[in-house]
Amino acid sequence: MRAMSEFDLHCHSSISDGTLPPAEVVRRAAANGVRVLALTDHDEVAGLAEARATAAEVGITLIAGVEISVSWRSHQVHIVGLGLDPEEPILLARLKAMRDGRYGRAERMAAELARLGIPGALEGAGRHAGGSIIGRTHFARFLVEQGIAKDVKSVFDHYLATGKPGYVPHQWASLADALSWIRGAGGIAVIAHPFRYKLSSNERSNLYKEFKALGGEGIEVAYGSASAQEQRDAASAARRHGFLASCGSDFHSPGESMIDLGRIAPLPEDLTPVWSKFREM
Ligand code: AMP
Ligand code: MN
Ligand code: MN
Ligand code: MN
């Protein structure tokens, strides 16, 4: 039997780079046995109202979330905010500015791809983005559609991952900004998928310490892309730094994601789950 959790605190809808509308994400989660779901679109909270309405319909709990893109040293790091007020004005204004910044980056990405002999990427990716935020996943889907690569993952491997020819550097929010926006909106900040970042162990421990010093409280221990060893290492980090433990599928799409909603390993029992704080909020 596949691992299963009633809590899935990280996933995406078509509001960012998922393919299903928020209502469909919630229905699919409920059908998979999830009881508490956080929708955490990239740099955007506009899907939460629809998600909340559908959650009420199907009888599950919806936690308001977001996944904020951060530049930390030379790395792109993701910080998830959970249980926040999705109408808090400063959070909304800052996320809007981040989404605006994505358009300039998309233009630069399209220019790089054109230089590599792939024209029309801005329009093509824009079509996949459908007017909400635009990001690398939308470019990847356009390249797959053009027959340039067989799937989204291989587009990243050959064109869009850090250091690949279609990659363009971008300045995201600072770690301090992301923490202050999340905390200012009453949310809990969580380090997303800690082993997706190519950090030395020294850098990793510095990231955890800085995050903690800025008021960060949680870390994802069980998540879609983590190996069993990485989940053990994330659990050790949670113990060492006193972090709450979170878990999430990071589901994006039925066709693309390896892990479906709710298909997450259980958290080690000695850790304090992040949802122990939800009731107090
Ligand atoms: P962006 O925020 O535009 O930089 O895009 C980041 C998103 O790209 C992530 O949230 C993932 O959905 C996706 N992504 C990043 N790396 C990969 C990869 N190696 N394979 C597939 N998708 C990826
Ligand atoms: Mn994504
Ligand atoms: Mn992420
Ligand atoms: Mn994510």
Side-chain angles (χ1 to χ4, degrees), residues 138-151:
H138 304 113
F139 281 85
R141 291 185 185 132
F142 169 69
L143 264 63
V144 172
E145 178 189 278
Q146 295 297 296
I148 291 160
K150 70 175 194 312
D151 56 23

Side-chain angles (χ1 to χ4, degrees), residues 12 17 42 67 69 76 78 102 105 134-137 152-153 156-157 172 196 252:
H12 298 273
D17 59 356
H42 297 287
E67 183 174 17
S69 316
Q76 188 193 30
H78 285 171
R102 281 176 172 273
R105 173 196 188 226
I134 187 162
R136 283 184 288 168
T137 312
V152 164
K153 187 186 175 301
F156 274 89
D157 291 347
W172 302 101
R196 281 265 303 273
H252 282 71

Side-chain angles (χ1 to χ4, degrees), residues 44-57:
E44 175 60 292
V45 291
L48 292 169
E50 179 182 317
R52 187 174 295 290
T54 307
E57 251 174 64

Side-chain angles (χ1 to χ4, degrees), residues 20-34 37 50-51 53-55 57-58 60 261:
L20 303 179
E24 293 310 310
V25 173
V26 172
R27 285 184 199 288
R28 188 181 182 93
N32 283 2
V34 172
L37 178 74
E50 179 182 317
T54 307
E57 251 174 64
V58 301
I60 70 170
L261 289 156

Side-chain angles (χ1 to χ4, degrees), residues 5 58 63 80 86 100 106 113 133 143 198 219 228 231 241 248 260:
S5 171
V58 301
I63 302 293
V80 161
D100 291 346
L113 291 168
I133 77 155
L143 264 63
K198 294 195 170 61
I219 187 169
Q231 300 193 29
H241 296 271
D260 205 337

Side-chain angles (χ1 to χ4, degrees), residues 141-204:
R141 291 185 185 132
F142 169 69
L143 264 63
V144 172
E145 178 189 278
Q146 295 297 296
I148 291 160
K150 70 175 194 312
D151 56 23
V152 164
K153 187 186 175 301
S154 50
V155 180
F156 274 89
D157 291 347
H158 293 103
Y159 293 97
L160 300 182
T162 312
K164 299 299 173 185
Y167 176 82
V168 301
H170 187 69
Q171 189 65 44
W172 302 101
S174 70
L175 190 60
D177 284 340
L179 270 285
S180 91
W181 306 340
I182 291 168
R183 283 157 52 78
I188 299 175
V190 174
I191 298 178
H193 41 66
F195 289 95
R196 281 265 303 273
Y197 318 124
K198 294 195 170 61
L199 303 171
S200 68
S201 58
N202 211 1
E203 280 180 312
R204 198 175 299 284

